Amino acid sequence: MTPVEQTIENLLLSARRAAAEDFKRNIEKRLDYYYDRQLPYLLELISEQFAHADPLSLQPHFFNVVKPIVNEISMVYRSGARRTLFSDRGDEIDPRLSQLWQEIQNFSRYDAVMKTVNRMVNLCGTVLVKSSFRNGGIKLDILTPNLVDIVQNEDDPTQADGIAYIRPANQTTMQIYGASRRNSLQMVIHYWDSERYIRLTPTGEVIDVPGNPDGINPYGVLPFVRFSNQIPLEGFFIQGGDDLIVAQDNINLKLTQLNYIVKMQSFSVPVLIGYRGPERITVSPGKPVVVPLGNVGEQGSPDFRFETPHPQIAELIKLLEHEIIRIFRAYGIGSADFSLQGEVKSGFALVMENLKLLESRENELPFYEDAEEELFEIVKRVWNYHSSFLPAGHKFRGVKFPDDVHLQVSVNDISLPKPTAEEVAEWKFMFEHHLATPVDYLMRRYKLSEQEAQQRWERTKQWWNKSNEF
């Protein structure tokens, strides 16, 4: 068996594992819940749990708690981060490299990608970020576990020797292989290891890669970085978080039941007792109800009345509120975030109320800082390979990151809202004791990168110098 055939066999065996498929479906469900695609799951739940599901299915109702909880606990990049190039040898960084790194961040929308990664990690446990070269620049692709298959290292199952992901086939591939095979080419599997890059159909047939007929990995490493907020112990992916999805299902079911109760039991119900006569009884606002006499010999007499039911609507609403509050609190979210009434609180009170969230963030920071620094090493390899092939006249053609240049990442601390007087006093103390600079203030106050804050400070100084008042 050739290496390529062995790769395909390993990949297909991995993809067919029942446990892996169950895990992928679980991740797909989480993503659907986060992006408000909950209705099909709710209708399925109603069908499974109720013998007469049709009436409930007419008025389904869901309230998304997954998204606000995931967004609220994703605090790592809430105050931005400092990302600074440095040299192992202590040399000063070439300004062109700093400009190139800023260009890469702008082109890849680096800050937005990292904030999305933080949210997807809290939702899925683990995500991969792939560095790709497209349209003349670096792009960062976020891959959730439902899209990925892993060939695990035999000695360390928490590490990957090979990674495959699924993408829709592009028009070029469809045209090359013709209409007769288009149905089997709707999706394409991209397989990477340290030596090879192969494209496959879902049935395992190799697809030619334009410009790379031998299927070589030009980077020499897997162009992926794993982001998570825990150390994996059992496998490549971090698992858990089912409590949030189960709570979402329970809330949706109760909301649907509440809808049905309100519809069916909020009005008086007509009740007719003891009449089996031929006349048809009609209930209409403009027509009096006439109940004929009963048959001879019957016990009692016919009767017609309206009964007022007493549904436990208030109790069900209260139960729903408690369930929502309970899941919010389980994730460390303070009561102020789901309270309809509140008052202005001091910075200390806010810290104490959100202490669990802040502690969780502190525990997560090293994982993200290390992963970003690892990601830069991949970005460096991908850029250095493709930079020589940029068109003539490109301002960064041939500009490469030296091997000794690396990235240092330091996520900024969160500054909670404070009264203006407290904030002024704090920064005054910092400046007087040379513990901070105006650039630090601009970064924190306006959520700027260090380069952007430095440029803004220089412009500010120039304006005041011209006014002779600085």
Side-chain angles (χ1 to χ4, degrees):
M1 184 178 289
T2 66
V4 171
E5 291 172 341
Q6 184 64 53
T7 296
I8 295 171
E9 184 67 20
N10 291 340
L11 183 61
L12 293 178
L13 285 174
S14 174
R16 289 168 185 161
R17 286 201 306 266
E21 291 303 313
D22 288 342
F23 175 63
K24 288 184 178 183
R25 282 193 292 270
N26 181 280
I27 297 298
E28 288 174 359
K29 182 176 181 179
R30 295 184 189 197
L31 291 166
D32 286 337
Y33 276 30
Y34 181 84
Y35 288 109
D36 294 313
R37 299 189 292 262
Q38 299 188 20
L39 184 57
Y41 298 94
L42 176 55
L43 294 176
E44 184 178 354
L45 277 172
I46 293 172
S47 177
E48 290 175 353
Q49 297 196 16
F50 297 94
H52 302 286
D54 291 345
L56 285 171
S57 300
L58 294 175
Q59 285 190 305
H61 187 193
F62 67 86
F63 170 69
N64 195 339
V65 298
V66 173
K67 180 181 288 186
I69 288 177
V70 168
N71 290 352
E72 186 67 23
I73 66 176
S74 301
M75 300 178 65
V76 170
Y77 295 104
R78 191 157 293 185
S79 293
R82 296 186 182 188
R83 303 178 177 98
T84 308
L85 298 179
F86 71 96
S87 171
D88 283 339
R89 298 181 298 181
D91 297 340
E92 186 175 348
I93 298 298
D94 186 336
R96 292 199 69 191
L97 294 180
S98 298
Q99 295 172 9
L100 171 59
W101 172 233
Q102 188 62 47
E103 177 69 18
I104 288 174
Q105 291 182 83
N106 295 339
F107 189 82
S108 65
R109 302 184 64 191
Y110 192 94
D111 287 327
V113 168
M114 288 301 108
K115 289 179 180 179
T116 304
V117 165
N118 187 203
R119 292 179 178 181
M120 292 298 102
V121 166
N122 287 324
L123 179 67
C124 304
T126 310
V127 297
L128 297 180
V129 177
K130 179 182 179 294
S131 177
S132 305
F133 191 88
R134 295 195 299 269
N135 302 322
I138 296 292
K139 290 292 185 180
L140 299 175
D141 301 321
I142 302 173
L143 300 173
T144 50
N146 58 304
L147 302 174
V148 178
D149 283 299
I150 303 296
V151 179
Q152 293 172 295
N153 183 279
E154 292 185 2
D155 297 325
D156 184 359
T158 66
Q159 300 299 319
D161 285 340
I163 295 177
Y165 60 93
I166 300 175
R167 280 284 186 265
N170 59 35
Q171 292 299 318
T172 301
T173 301
M174 301 286 279
Q175 291 171 1
I176 290 174
Y177 288 93
S180 61
R181 294 173 56 194
R182 285 184 182 178
N183 290 334
S184 64
L185 282 173
Q186 294 298 318
M187 305 299 291
V188 174
I189 301 172
H190 299 253
Y191 173 81
W192 292 83
D193 60 30
S194 60
E195 298 178 351
R196 291 162 292 180
Y197 168 52
I198 304 170
R199 294 179 186 173
L200 309 167
T201 67
T203 58
E205 185 178 355
V206 176
I207 301 173
D208 294 334
V209 180
N212 188 6
D214 297 326
I216 297 173
N217 178 354
Y219 314 127
V221 296
L222 290 171
F224 306 84
V225 173
R226 173 175 53 191
F227 280 77
S228 65
N229 54 21
Q230 300 178 46
I231 295 176
L233 299 178
E234 299 178 352
F236 186 83
F237 295 110
I238 301 294
Q239 301 194 32
D242 291 339
D243 58 336
L244 180 58
I245 304 304
V246 171
Q248 180 71 77
D249 284 338
N250 289 334
I251 290 168
N252 291 348
L253 281 173
K254 287 182 175 64
L255 281 171
T256 302
Q257 289 177 286
L258 179 62
N259 262 359
Y260 184 70
I261 290 174
V262 170
K263 174 184 177 182
M264 301 303 297
Q265 299 189 22
S266 293
F267 305 96
S268 298
V269 178
V271 177
L272 178 61
I273 299 175
Y275 173 68
R276 295 191 299 272
E279 291 84 357
R280 179 180 179 183
I281 305 299
T282 302
V283 179
S284 173
K287 181 180 177 65
V289 177
V290 179
V291 182
L293 296 175
N295 296 329
V296 176
E298 287 187 347
Q299 295 290 332
S301 59
D303 183 25
F304 180 87
R305 64 178 180 268
F306 284 91
E307 293 285 356
T308 302
H310 300 282
Q312 305 297 314
I313 293 177
E315 288 76 3
L316 184 55
I317 291 174
K318 188 175 181 179
L319 180 62
L320 266 168
E321 290 176 348
H322 280 296
E323 190 153 353
I324 292 172
I325 291 173
R326 187 164 60 245
I327 191 64
F328 270 71
R329 284 179 175 165
Y331 279 82
I333 300 174
S335 59
D337 292 289
F338 45 81
S339 175
L340 296 178
Q341 297 178 351
E343 57 185 10
V344 178
K345 298 184 179 182
S346 67
F348 178 76
L350 289 171
V351 169
M352 295 308 297
E353 188 169 281
N354 294 279
L355 186 60
K356 186 175 179 180
L357 279 179
L358 296 173
E359 288 178 344
S360 296
R361 180 180 185 270
E362 286 298 315
N363 294 331
E364 294 174 6
L365 293 187
F367 292 96
Y368 285 90
E369 292 172 344
D370 292 346
E372 276 201 55
E373 292 170 4
E374 184 181 349
L375 178 61
F376 175 78
E377 299 301 317
I378 302 300
V379 169
K380 182 168 68 175
R381 280 179 176 263
V382 174
W383 173 264
N384 286 353
Y385 175 80
H386 291 281
S387 63
S388 299
F389 304 106
L390 290 170
H394 192 286
K395 62 180 178 179
F396 292 115
R397 175 184 169 88
V399 179
K400 299 183 178 182
F401 293 102
D403 292 339
D404 67 303
V405 171
H406 308 286
L407 181 69
Q408 182 179 30
V409 180
S410 178
V411 177
N412 297 329
D413 292 333
I414 289 181
S415 56
L416 294 170
K418 299 178 182 178
T420 303
E422 286 185 20
E423 187 173 6
V424 170
E426 179 182 348
W427 281 104
K428 183 178 180 181
F429 175 85
M430 299 282 282
F431 291 150
E432 288 178 350
H433 292 81
H434 307 290
L435 299 174
T437 68
V439 173
D440 294 324
Y441 173 77
L442 292 172
M443 291 174 63
R444 183 69 57 83
R445 178 67 176 81
Y446 298 105
K447 304 295 188 295
L448 303 175
S449 67
E450 186 172 8
Q451 183 177 2
E452 292 169 337
Q454 185 66 48
Q455 292 172 350
R456 180 164 180 170
W457 175 237
E458 294 298 331
R459 290 197 303 270
T460 302
K461 287 196 300 184
Q462 290 176 7
W463 190 91
W464 284 105
N465 284 332
K466 290 180 180 179
S467 301
N468 296 321
E469 295 183 14
F470 187 75

